[in-house]
Amino acid sequence: MSITLTNVSKSYGNLKANDNISFSVKEGELFGLIGPDGAGKTTLFRVLTTLLIADEGTATVARFDVVDDYKSIRNNVGYMPGRFSLYQDLTIEENLTFFATIFGTTIEENFDLIKDIYTQIEPFKNRRAGKLSGGMKQKLALCCALIHKPKVLFLDEPTTGVDPVSRKEFWEMLKRLQQKGITILVSTPYMDEAALCDRIALIQDGKILEIDAPQEIVKHYPKALYNVGADNMYKLIQSLKEYEHHYSVFPFGEFVHYADQRPDFNKGELQGFLEDYGLKHVHIEPISPTIEDTFMELAK
Amino acid sequence: MKRFKGFVRKEFYHIFRDKRSLFILFGMPIAQILLFGFAITNEINNVDIAVLDHSRDATTGEIINKIAASKYFSINEFIERETDIESVFQKGKIKAVLNFEKNFSRNLIRDNTATIQIITDATDPNTANTISNYTSSILRNYQQELNRDIQLAYQVLPEIRMVYNPELKGVFMFVPGVMTIILMLVSAMMTSISITREKELGTMEILLVSPLKPVLIIIGKVVPYIFLSVINAIVIIVLSIFVFKMPIQGSLFLLGVESVLFIITSLSLGILISTISTTQQTAMMVSLMGLMLPTILLSGFIFPISSMPVPLQVISNIIPAKWFIVLLKGIMLKGVGIVYLWKETLLLFGMALFFIVVSVRKYKIRLE
Amino acid sequence: MDNQPIIQVESLTKRFGDFSAVDAITFKVDKGEIFGFLGANGAGKTTAMKMLIGISNPTSGKAHVAGYDVFTQAESIKKSIGYMSQKFALYDDLTVKENITFFGGIYGLSGAQIKEKTALMIEELELHEVAHQLVGALPLGWKQKISFSVALLHNPKIVFLDEPTGGVDPITRRQFWEMIYKTAHNGTTVFVTTHYMDEAEYCDRVSIMVNGKIEALDTPKRLKEQFEVDSMNDVFLKLARG
């Protein structure tokens, strides 16, 4: 096991940021910690990277204990905290050289690891980090975290606040890194990114809701789910909420994901109800639940 | 070692790329020295005064000429009546009025006494004092000339010598003080801001989760500022010697050693401040209010410690700057050696050690 | 008169030196619309929005917001719009009630109006238990909803939302969008930027900015048809990637 957590709890005053968390990450796994702001992701990362000591429980990274062997962990992991902490007044090249030196290596030594990523920002290597766009900062921060070929990579919300194109590119890079044998623990609030991980842990308010592979997690959704569409989204939501048998009503893009309380749900009945309400072009079809549906269900 | 060098190099990049820091580090010391040296002075020069001469005879004429001839005074106005005195002060330009009584010469010859009233604007008590002193001494001079041929039975003649600063140049007092303040500013405040900046930006997290030993982080932060403080100290001394003609009577080597000792003390104070600040703003506020202000007020820089109430005198003993100023004045102005200054040196050394130990202990290797 | 678009922009440009952050964009927004203003970071969205809300002077072009000219009547614009920024702009060290009172005052509401609005807000958002708590102690989702309501205190004609749902859990995000729907339903125009492409689907029309220019402007449905994809996410990817 590359990372293990056993009954880890951590509080700030009255707020329990991590509540009895246990799970493990295998070597070479791409593991996602999925949850919104305030779920406890950053606190968990800080416990694992030895920046905070948990109130209860134990944890190991690369077989080293986070409290007793913190120095060994600090020598062997890559860490990218939120907000792309880079030196704004140093250039791309200077930032990279700095981190390489700190880790006792050179840019050349492990260049093959960061090559795909670096070539995208190389044309700007003499530009100061402060003047880079969000996507470029993200790539630079990733390079800096990888430059010493760590065994385990911790990425705390690396895609937050970045546009969808850069996010997609970033995950493609992560997948390629995984093939080189690095264990990656990444946290994100974006549910669609969860689908790209080997396994995910859904976390909300300090607690783990469920851990499994993405395809398995959706099986935890307890009811049959349907896409319902009509000509007026607002009216559709209102009417569905007034339908007495509704179990869950959540807008998803141009449709509403609807689940009924009854196992013997009748599409036609609902269609009639909605058309009576004045809605047109009513459209109901069964769909498979997504991770987001599952998350919302488990978080209730 | 390579790690450490890489870290120090980054620190220098930060310093030289931040225009504001550069201004504080280099511009301010020079500006302060020049300011204190040329502009701010306790002496008076060409002070505007007015004369109310009720007699207008030969004697008053002579006295008035003597006063007009001195570089300290400039006779701006001649007023006619007593009632004008109030209004001439209120106008604001006049700082003193000399009021000669009626029949001055006649009174002097007949009764052997004539009175001159010196009225000063005491809204600035220091200047008022100085004016009345200078005026009195000019009058005393005149008196001596008058009485040149008369031998008094008993005379006590005060012979005044101002040792170590014969020309009573204010700058001699300010240079040690300003040097102390600058070194404290650069070493304590800039260091504390530099460390808290890493915390504020979040890069401290990455530094901690790396093979770089935490103690090297502190030392790496501190090393550039040692260099810069030393350079500043040299600049200040050079300016004092060549621009203000202030001589360094004592050993330059001893001066250097004591300066380094003080710099180290200030640096540890800077590190200590950084351990209790989470933002750069806090670090700056604590440095200014908690360090600079007491130093300026209680170190003997501007206000003599001996004139302070006893509790404050006691407190001033724990301010490192106080001892450093004593050392500076001793070496620069009096030319004494370690033989006389060993007590202060030991004290400063003890303080340096104490602050280093406390700040290292308080420095956290984790985030809380 | 009421058929006039509430936002009218013609060749609006903002240049910094010889770099055009916003390059001659033209579009209009109708009253009561939910208009999605999308684009990658650095595409010029924020710069454009700043011009529309009257806090940045355009270099050239024309723009009218709520009937006022952005060049000459910026102050009037500010009075007619609501704005909710990314960071939610509430004071963490004031209570919920105190925040509402403060912003109500800034928007020129009378004491009686503030009282009325406060009661209404507490009722609608179910804030009874937390009305006297410091905002800093509330979860992100609540802050966000309060912030949105505060932006609407003075019944503005348009409300500008700058990435209002960043980082919040999926349930709260949807509750927030229900609030947006209700607001639009009541006649307030909503101008919103977001990075969540599924939220783009909730909008009546969407514009996508790339390198300072508007490269797409239509309803989500027609954009998907145009680019032959199933989701707004894919529309975005196709546009930005080319």
Side-chain angles (χ1 to χ4, degrees):
Chain A
M1 285 295 157
S2 203
I3 304 174
T4 67
L5 290 123
T6 319
N7 303 115
V8 168
S9 293
K10 176 76 188 169
S11 304
Y12 296 110
N14 287 334
L15 178 70
K16 204 149 200 187
N18 289 151
D19 195 349
N20 200 16
I21 303 211
S22 302
F23 66 87
S24 41
V25 178
K26 303 192 194 85
E27 260 185 58
E29 213 178 0
L30 177 53
F31 193 96
L33 197 58
I34 320 289
D37 256 25
K41 308 189 296 289
T42 302
T43 308
L44 201 61
F45 268 69
R46 287 181 174 163
V47 167
L48 289 172
T49 53
T50 76
L51 288 172
L52 286 178
I53 299 188
D55 299 329
E56 290 162 32
T58 56
T60 68
V61 174
R63 312 239 178 91
F64 296 114
D65 184 276
V66 295
V67 180
D68 300 327
D69 285 317
Y70 72 91
K71 287 191 196 154
S72 312
I73 296 182
R74 291 186 182 187
N75 288 350
N76 285 305
V77 304
Y79 178 43
M80 191 171 144
R83 295 179 299 149
F84 315 135
S85 305
L86 300 166
Y87 291 107
Q88 312 284 315
D89 51 349
L90 299 186
T91 66
I92 289 185
E93 202 169 16
E94 285 165 354
N95 263 290
L96 215 48
T97 314
F98 172 70
F99 285 106
T101 319
I102 295 295
F103 280 100
T105 177
T106 60
I107 302 184
E108 292 76 32
E109 205 172 305
N110 295 312
F111 193 66
D112 57 313
L113 204 56
I114 62 168
K115 204 165 85 167
D116 313 330
I117 314 165
Y118 188 62
T119 40
Q120 295 178 45
I121 54 175
E122 200 173 6
F124 307 97
K125 70 177 182 185
N126 288 321
R127 192 182 285 191
R128 305 232 174 131
K131 302 251 190 287
L132 298 174
S133 70
M136 286 204 277
K137 280 190 194 172
Q138 193 197 35
K139 294 180 177 110
L140 176 59
L142 186 58
C143 290
C144 292
L146 283 172
I147 196 72
H148 57 298
K149 199 165 181 174
K151 297 200 197 112
V152 183
L153 192 59
F154 290 94
L155 307 172
D156 191 2
E157 294 211 28
T159 52
T160 299
V162 174
D163 67 271
V165 179
S166 301
R167 283 203 274 129
K168 187 160 191 278
E169 288 175 348
F170 190 80
W171 277 85
E172 286 166 4
M173 291 190 286
L174 287 187
K175 283 291 207 197
R176 288 197 289 267
L177 277 175
Q178 194 194 0
Q179 287 161 16
K180 308 213 170 144
I182 303 181
T183 311
I184 306 178
L185 179 61
V186 58
S187 70
T188 175
Y190 297 107
M191 304 279 151
D192 55 325
E193 291 177 358
L196 303 169
C197 303
D198 294 332
R199 279 193 309 146
I200 57 177
L202 302 179
I203 180 171
Q204 165 101 306
D205 292 330
K207 296 196 191 44
I208 300 268
L209 302 173
E210 197 62 62
I211 304 180
D212 215 327
Q215 322 85 280
E216 301 299 313
I217 273 213
V218 294
K219 294 186 183 160
H220 288 276
Y221 194 80
K223 301 236 179 266
L225 199 61
Y226 296 86
N227 250 357
V228 181
D231 61 328
N232 185 317
M233 176 60 90
Y234 182 51
K235 241 180 163 176
L236 181 58
I237 300 175
Q238 300 297 94
S239 51
L240 283 171
K241 284 195 169 168
E242 286 185 21
Y243 191 59
E244 62 173 323
H245 304 292
H246 79 272
Y247 176 77
S248 74
V249 175
F250 287 121
F252 265 79
E254 54 173 333
F255 296 110
V256 171
H257 284 197
Y258 173 81
D260 198 277
Q261 292 166 8
R262 309 159 292 177
D264 55 342
F265 166 63
N266 184 333
K267 267 185 12 181
E269 200 188 313
L270 180 61
Q271 177 138 2
F273 174 84
L274 293 173
E275 279 166 354
D276 286 342
Y277 214 86
L279 288 161
K280 296 194 185 25
H281 307 300
V282 176
H283 166 94
I284 306 176
E285 62 171 357
I287 50 162
S288 312
T290 65
I291 297 178
E292 197 160 4
D293 293 299
T294 318
F295 185 94
M296 293 194 287
E297 175 60 29
L298 293 169
K300 268 200 205 156
Chain B
M1 191 52 204
K2 234 188 135 206
R3 284 193 244 265
F4 184 67
K5 279 205 289 202
F7 189 78
V8 173
R9 185 175 31 189
K10 166 187 92 78
E11 290 304 310
F12 273 112
Y13 280 146
H14 287 319
I15 294 176
F16 286 113
R17 288 181 188 180
D18 183 0
K19 301 280 185 297
R20 266 176 304 194
S21 303
L22 280 183
F23 176 68
I24 295 183
L25 287 172
F26 293 115
M28 262 188 65
I30 301 183
Q32 285 215 340
I33 283 282
L34 293 177
L35 208 69
F36 276 107
F38 287 124
I40 302 174
T41 165
N42 278 346
E43 298 152 10
I44 58 172
N45 259 323
N46 284 328
V47 172
D48 290 307
I49 63 172
V51 170
L52 174 55
D53 189 354
H54 287 111
S55 307
R56 307 217 197 164
D57 52 37
T59 323
T60 59
E62 267 181 50
I63 298 179
I64 292 174
N65 278 338
K66 253 197 139 44
I67 292 192
S70 100
K71 64 171 180 165
Y72 301 121
F73 299 113
S74 162
I75 301 188
N76 193 280
E77 220 176 300
F78 284 92
I79 53 182
E80 310 284 312
R81 294 177 291 270
E82 300 257 344
T83 40
D84 287 339
I85 296 181
E86 178 86 31
S87 60
V88 93
F89 273 128
Q90 287 199 346
K91 271 193 266 181
K93 213 162 177 262
I94 302 293
K95 298 285 179 241
V97 170
L98 296 182
N99 187 358
F100 294 88
E101 62 170 359
K102 262 164 72 152
N103 303 314
F104 195 84
S105 288
R106 217 180 53 184
N107 292 341
L108 196 58
I109 295 173
R110 227 180 43 187
D111 307 324
N112 295 334
T113 11
T115 339
I116 304 176
Q117 194 185 39
I118 308 174
I119 311 171
T120 52
D121 180 354
T123 51
D124 178 1
N126 285 333
T127 314
N129 249 337
T130 316
I131 292 177
S132 55
N133 283 341
Y134 281 37
T135 330
S136 309
S137 89
I138 295 180
L139 292 173
R140 247 195 320 273
N141 246 334
Y142 181 69
Q143 224 176 211
Q144 280 190 327
E145 277 177 35
L146 274 187
N147 296 322
R148 220 178 340 211
D149 305 318
I150 304 172
Q151 291 283 3
L152 289 175
Y154 304 102
Q155 279 189 53
V156 178
L157 287 172
E159 191 187 289
I160 303 175
R161 270 183 68 203
M162 302 293 190
V163 202
Y164 304 129
N165 187 357
E167 290 175 57
L168 287 184
K169 279 186 161 186
V171 69
F172 284 26
M173 171 176 132
F174 286 118
V175 167
V178 171
M179 185 154 140
T180 313
I181 298 290
I182 299 290
L183 289 182
M184 181 150 262
L185 193 79
V186 174
S187 307
M189 187 166 103
M190 302 302 290
T191 308
S192 68
I193 290 180
S194 169
I195 299 180
T196 32
R197 189 187 304 135
E198 297 263 8
K199 281 204 261 181
E200 209 179 303
L201 290 180
T203 45
M204 186 62 95
E205 278 184 58
I206 309 185
L207 289 179
L208 288 174
V209 185
S210 80
L212 197 61
K213 292 201 188 34
V215 70
L216 287 183
I217 299 181
I218 311 181
I219 299 183
K221 284 276 168 196
V222 148
V223 158
Y225 291 109
I226 295 184
F227 274 127
L228 294 171
S229 302
V230 166
I231 294 181
N232 260 317
I234 295 178
V235 166
I236 294 176
I237 294 178
V238 162
L239 271 180
S240 318
I241 297 180
F242 291 106
V243 176
F244 299 114
K245 315 273 190 288
M246 179 171 130
I248 307 282
Q249 305 283 9
S251 143
L252 275 176
F253 175 71
L254 188 59
L255 188 62
V257 167
E258 304 284 5
S259 301
V260 169
L261 200 55
F262 182 66
I263 291 175
I264 294 181
T265 314
S266 306
L267 288 170
S268 0
L269 278 170
I271 299 172
L272 197 59
I273 293 176
S274 77
T275 61
I276 58 171
S277 317
T278 39
T279 64
Q280 292 176 77
Q281 270 222 342
T282 317
M284 185 151 71
M285 282 282 103
V286 173
S287 304
L288 286 175
M289 295 290 120
L291 214 56
M292 299 292 280
L293 209 54
T295 300
I296 294 179
L297 296 176
L298 298 177
S299 64
F301 170 29
I302 300 182
F303 309 111
I305 299 179
S306 44
S307 318
M308 295 180 195
V310 175
L312 285 181
Q313 287 192 34
V314 171
I315 295 179
S316 81
N317 285 327
I318 61 167
I319 297 183
K322 173 201 164 145
W323 303 109
F324 187 55
I325 290 186
V326 169
L327 286 165
L328 279 182
K329 286 189 179 169
I331 301 174
M332 286 173 146
L333 302 175
K334 298 187 197 167
V336 294
I338 191 71
V339 180
Y340 288 94
L341 297 175
W342 66 269
K343 205 180 79 171
E344 287 86 1
T345 311
L346 205 60
L347 208 59
L348 203 57
F349 182 71
M351 284 187 178
L353 214 59
F354 174 72
F355 285 123
I356 291 180
V357 166
V358 172
S359 50
V360 167
R361 272 203 165 173
K362 284 209 86 191
Y363 187 75
K364 293 174 220 125
I365 54 169
R366 291 197 165 84
L367 281 186
E368 55 159 17
Chain C
M1 196 46 221
D2 229 84
N3 288 334
Q4 281 274 33
I6 195 116
I7 299 180
Q8 241 174 328
V9 173
E10 214 180 293
S11 288
L12 194 64
T13 305
K14 178 79 181 177
R15 262 193 289 276
F16 297 102
D18 46 347
F19 168 64
S20 295
V22 177
D23 196 353
I25 59 174
T26 300
F27 68 95
K28 63 175 176 63
V29 178
D30 292 315
K31 189 165 182 288
E33 238 192 311
I34 302 179
F35 189 82
F37 198 59
L38 311 178
N41 285 350
K45 285 196 323 281
T46 314
T47 315
M49 206 151 118
K50 282 194 191 162
M51 288 192 277
L52 294 177
I53 62 177
I55 61 175
S56 168
N57 273 330
T59 312
S60 65
K62 284 203 286 204
H64 283 82
V65 174
Y68 299 109
D69 186 322
V70 301
F71 275 98
T72 56
Q73 298 168 301
E75 292 307 309
S76 306
I77 292 183
K78 289 181 197 167
K79 291 197 189 118
S80 321
I81 64 167
Y83 176 57
M84 180 183 154
S85 92
Q86 258 177 315
K87 310 272 159 76
F88 308 137
L90 289 175
Y91 288 102
D92 278 344
D93 49 355
L94 294 183
T95 67
V96 173
K97 260 195 163 177
E98 284 164 357
N99 265 288
I100 302 175
T101 311
F102 171 73
F103 284 104
I106 295 233
Y107 293 139
L109 267 56
S110 72
Q113 287 174 312
I114 293 180
K115 242 184 154 181
E116 187 196 322
K117 293 273 180 179
T118 310
L120 212 67
M121 214 189 287
I122 295 183
E123 194 59 49
E124 270 182 28
L125 299 178
E126 293 172 30
L127 298 171
H128 313 280
E129 291 188 12
V130 297
H132 293 288
Q133 271 188 35
L134 294 185
V135 164
L138 297 178
L140 196 62
W142 293 48
K143 280 196 219 182
Q144 199 196 53
K145 290 190 217 167
I146 298 171
S147 195
F148 181 55
S149 304
V150 161
L152 294 169
L153 273 177
H154 54 306
N155 292 334
K157 299 197 193 120
I158 318 174
V159 65
F160 287 85
L161 308 174
D162 188 1
E163 296 197 33
T165 53
V168 170
D169 69 272
I171 299 183
T172 312
R173 263 205 302 134
R174 285 162 176 81
Q175 289 171 339
F176 188 83
W177 270 91
E178 283 185 44
M179 286 173 73
I180 294 183
Y181 275 128
K182 192 156 175 222
T183 310
H185 189 73
N186 291 336
T188 311
T189 312
V190 177
F191 188 95
V192 58
T193 75
T194 178
H195 275 315
Y196 288 98
M197 287 302 128
D198 61 333
E199 290 181 358
E201 311 254 10
Y202 301 149
C203 302
D204 294 318
R205 276 188 313 143
V206 161
S207 80
I208 302 184
M209 273 185 86
V210 181
N211 290 335
K213 290 197 179 29
I214 293 185
E215 296 291 352
L217 175 56
D218 216 330
T219 69
K221 193 156 185 228
R222 282 201 280 266
L223 283 175
K224 284 186 285 188
E225 280 166 19
Q226 182 188 341
F227 287 93
E228 295 170 340
V229 289
D230 288 326
S231 69
M232 279 304 297
N233 196 37
D234 292 331
V235 168
F236 195 96
L237 289 175
K238 268 210 164 171
L239 254 186
R241 275 269 192 80

